[in-house]
């Protein structure tokens, strides 16, 4: 089954989630209403040999990327981090030294972005052939009166990208995918500066074209990208 097909199956159940779910699956984060307040939640996972090459990547950068992937979802909603939880499944031959280095990197990175690691789970694979998996859940609160989603783009809007595109991966397994900075403060600043003129945002993790397509689909608009203007 393709990822797209599975996600469409998930989204078809959104209407049954109840009134407390203000924003169901389909955006960078879900939004829940709790006693009049909004809580944003998202989960992402890092799978060794899929998202990082363990033989070429220091375990500290593995832990960092596991956290920053989820923090980028917070940035995409112009939200403020609250806390994080991590579930890690380790190969049986993962040493104590590497395990503690991984945990320290997870904890330190989360703390750096004011998203303290408050809990989680640890398990070991029974077969050494299975890769390391880090699943990171983040909680956040709105950075302003409005939650910025993928669904608000309007005809006449322009598309802007923060930072530099490209260079995420290099031939040696490195690249900016290991060291990028989640643009949390940028998202908050844009929301404060633009107010109601900020209509939609997304975390570019699948490439500009594909992720612009997600905004177009959610907002029911057509987006044109001029390659020479990028």
């Amino acid at each position: 089954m393709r990822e797209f097909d599975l996600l469409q199956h998930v989204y078809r159940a959104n209407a049954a989630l109840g009134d407390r779910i203000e924003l169901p699956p389909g955006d960078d984060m879900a939004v829940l209403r709790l006693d009049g307040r909004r809580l944003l939640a998202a989960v992402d996972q890092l799978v060794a040999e899929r998202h990082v090459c363990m033989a070429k990547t220091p375990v500290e950068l593995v832990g960092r990327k596991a956290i920053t992937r989820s923090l980028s979802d917070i940035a995409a909603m112009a939200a403020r981090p609250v806390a994080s939880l991590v579930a890690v499944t380790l190969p049986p031959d993962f040493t104590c030294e590497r395990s503690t280095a991984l945990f320290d990197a997870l904890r330190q990175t989360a703390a750096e972005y004011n998203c303290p690691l408050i809990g989680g789970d640890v398990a070991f694979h029974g077969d050494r052939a299975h890769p390391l998996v880090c699943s990171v859940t983040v909680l956040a609160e709105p950075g302003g009166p409005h939650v910025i989603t993928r669904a608000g783009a309007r005809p006449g809007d322009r598309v802007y990208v923060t930072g530099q595109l490209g260079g995420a991966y290099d031939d040696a397994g490195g690249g900016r995918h290991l060291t990028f900075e989640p643009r949390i403060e940028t998202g908050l600043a844009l929301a404060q500066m633009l107010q109601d003129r900020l209509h939609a945002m997304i975390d570019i993790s699948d490439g500009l074209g594909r992720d612009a397509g997600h905004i177009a689909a959610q907002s029911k608009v057509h987006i044109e990208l001029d390659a020479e203007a990028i």
Side-chain angles (χ1 to χ4, degrees):
M1 174 178 277
R2 295 187 307 157
E3 178 183 355
F4 176 82
D5 295 329
L6 178 57
L7 290 175
Q8 296 309 305
H9 175 75
V10 172
Y11 300 158
R12 282 194 287 271
N14 283 352
L17 292 177
D19 294 339
R20 298 182 70 181
I21 311 303
E22 183 174 314
L23 187 64
D27 215 295
D28 284 287
M29 303 188 78
V31 181
L32 301 80
R33 278 198 173 274
L34 302 174
D35 296 328
R37 299 184 62 181
R38 291 186 176 112
L39 177 68
L40 286 74
V43 61
D44 207 341
Q45 59 183 336
L46 178 146
V47 180
E49 313 313 332
R50 170 70 176 176
H51 300 120
V52 292
C53 175
M54 295 300 293
K56 299 178 180 179
T57 308
V59 71
E60 292 81 5
L61 289 181
V62 174
R64 183 187 189 280
K65 180 176 179 176
I67 294 290
T68 53
R69 282 167 61 88
S70 289
L71 290 174
S72 283
D73 290 333
I74 296 178
M77 307 289 283
R80 295 185 186 279
V82 172
S84 58
L85 300 99
V86 178
V88 178
T89 306
L90 299 167
D93 58 351
F94 217 71
T95 66
C96 180
E97 181 181 5
R98 296 189 80 199
S99 299
T100 55
L102 175 66
F103 168 77
D104 288 344
L106 291 165
R107 178 178 53 80
Q108 291 167 8
T109 305
E112 178 183 346
Y113 291 95
N114 297 313
C115 194
L117 180 56
I118 62 170
D121 186 48
V122 177
F124 285 88
H125 284 297
D127 185 342
R128 63 180 299 172
H130 288 284
L132 166 75
V133 178
C134 295
S135 179
V136 178
T137 298
V138 289
L139 305 176
E141 58 186 358
H146 306 293
V147 174
I148 310 301
T149 72
R150 303 176 180 182
R154 307 172 186 175
D157 282 354
R158 296 187 177 186
V159 177
Y160 294 90
V161 178
T162 63
Q164 180 181 356
L165 296 175
Y169 291 85
D170 59 32
D171 294 337
R176 291 193 295 112
H177 74 106
L178 296 172
T179 58
F180 73 92
E181 295 289 341
R183 300 185 176 276
I184 294 173
E185 294 303 322
T186 301
L188 290 169
L190 286 170
Q192 181 177 8
M193 177 177 63
L194 297 176
Q195 300 288 322
D196 291 340
R197 292 179 294 155
L198 179 60
H199 298 155
M201 295 202 305
I202 193 171
D203 165 28
I204 300 181
S205 57
D206 295 327
L208 176 58
R210 185 172 179 180
D211 285 322
H214 292 323
I215 287 182
Q218 295 269 356
S219 300
K220 296 180 173 57
V221 297
H222 177 72
I223 295 179
E224 293 185 3
L225 299 176
D226 180 358
E228 295 183 359
I230 298 174

